[in-house]
Amino acid sequence: VRDLAEHLGLTEAEVDEGMVAAAGYRAGSLDTPNTDSDAEHAALSSGRTHPEQIGVDDPGMQLMEDIRALVPHMAELDDRERTILELRFGQELTQARIGAELGISQMHVSRILTRTLTKLRTHLLAED
């Protein structure tokens, strides 16, 4: 980098920046096997070329579709139901911990969760 900077009359930082920018324009072959470092993605596509992956189900997309389908039904829940769902699935608290925070029993939390999840499930199945 130092020699190149000196030869071009630039600073080393400018040469570094240029090298990073140039790396963004290298096109790889579609026939190059995937070496994705993301463990979940790599497990689905390990060693497969890009054309071989076309049409392969992406579990992340299904999750996003499920979440989008839930959004309008979440608005129909009351504040306590939404709070308990957030504490249980968002913050991953136990039912006992949720009960302690809300001043209700673990059994009551369990009943509310069961009722709320049944309500959401019923709405989602009715859409299908």
Side-chain angles (χ1 to χ4, degrees):
V1 172
R2 184 182 341 192
D3 292 340
L4 191 55
E6 188 176 306
H7 177 73
L8 295 173
L10 301 171
T11 66
E12 289 183 31
E14 291 172 318
V15 172
D16 282 335
E17 188 176 322
M19 292 173 75
V20 168
Y25 291 102
R26 290 192 191 126
S29 170
L30 291 176
D31 294 323
T32 303
N34 187 355
T35 58
D36 197 328
S37 62
D38 178 20
E40 182 178 331
H41 189 264
L44 295 172
S45 60
S46 180
R48 299 167 88 184
T49 63
H50 293 287
E52 291 172 333
Q53 294 177 61
I54 294 174
V56 173
D57 289 337
D58 183 350
M61 287 299 292
Q62 183 60 48
L63 177 61
M64 290 306 299
E65 289 174 13
D66 292 344
I67 290 171
R68 284 191 63 190
L70 272 175
V71 169
H73 303 298
M74 292 290 290
E76 297 172 12
L77 301 177
D78 64 38
D79 289 339
R80 183 169 67 167
E81 291 170 328
R82 278 195 302 273
T83 299
I84 290 175
L85 286 176
E86 166 60 27
L87 293 173
R88 180 68 186 105
F89 299 107
Q91 297 181 26
E92 299 181 354
L93 299 182
T94 64
Q95 292 179 7
R97 173 83 180 175
I98 294 168
E101 286 201 18
L102 300 179
I104 58 178
S105 70
Q106 177 272 324
M107 184 59 75
H108 194 69
V109 171
S110 177
R111 288 184 192 122
I112 293 170
L113 274 172
T114 300
R115 185 179 65 237
T116 304
L117 294 173
T118 300
K119 186 187 307 184
L120 290 173
R121 189 176 298 113
T122 301
H123 287 305
L124 289 175
L125 291 175
E127 289 179 359
D128 290 341

